[in-house]
Amino acid sequence: QVQLVESGGGLVQPGGSLRLSCAASGLTFSIYTMAWYRQAPGKQRELVAAITGGGSINYADSVKGRFTISRDNAKNTVYLQMNSLKPEDTAVYSCNADRKFFGSYWGQGTQVTVSS
C-alpha cells in the first residue's frame, strides 16, 4: 500500500521559512516524479514544484527563486524548502507521486499559513 506522509507545515511570519517533507512508502520511489501542489481556500489546486526521478526540476513562476524542491532517494523523501514566504503562499500543501502506467498517489496535505 502506497503512503505519502507530509510534515513541516505551520504558521510563519511573512519573510520567514519552512521546510516541508514528504516521506513515501510502498513504491519504488526513485522512478516516480515527485511534486508539491497547493490549494488555497476558494482556489484551484496548483502545481508548486516537481522533480523527476532523473532530477529535472520545474517551478511555478510564483515561487521561482524562493522555493527549492529536492529529493533523497535513499530516504524515500522529497522536500520543499520555502523561503521569503508571503501571505499568498498560505495554502494546504500536498505531495504527489506520479509515474505513467504505475499510478498517481497523494498525501493528506499539510497546512502552511503565512501571517503576522
Side-chain angles (χ1 to χ4, degrees):
Q1 182 178 356
V2 176
Q3 281 194 311
L4 301 178
V5 180
E6 300 102 332
S7 60
L11 173 64
V12 63
Q13 292 187 339
S17 298
L18 283 174
R19 187 173 87 150
L20 305 183
S21 299
C22 172
S25 61
L27 49 68
T28 305
F29 181 80
S30 63
I31 69 172
Y32 279 77
T33 292
M34 300 301 298
W36 289 96
Y37 287 77
R38 68 185 180 186
Q39 187 167 21
K43 295 188 176 181
Q44 287 190 330
R45 184 169 60 194
E46 63 173 348
L47 175 66
V48 176
I51 181 168
T52 68
S56 297
I57 292 172
N58 68 286
Y59 295 100
D61 287 344
S62 58
V63 306
K64 282 180 181 176
R66 299 189 298 122
F67 290 11
T68 302
I69 190 171
S70 62
R71 65 190 296 160
D72 185 337
N73 288 340
K75 296 183 178 180
N76 286 5
T77 301
V78 61
Y79 304 97
L80 186 68
Q81 178 66 44
M82 305 186 293
N83 299 328
S84 303
L85 282 160
K86 305 175 181 180
E88 51 264 44
D89 294 318
T90 295
V92 175
Y93 285 70
S94 298
C95 174
N96 173 263
D98 185 82
R99 172 79 179 190
K100 192 175 182 180
F101 305 125
F102 284 76
S104 185
Y105 304 96
W106 292 91
Q108 82 286 352
T110 186
Q111 177 70 46
V112 171
T113 302
V114 185
S115 174
S116 54

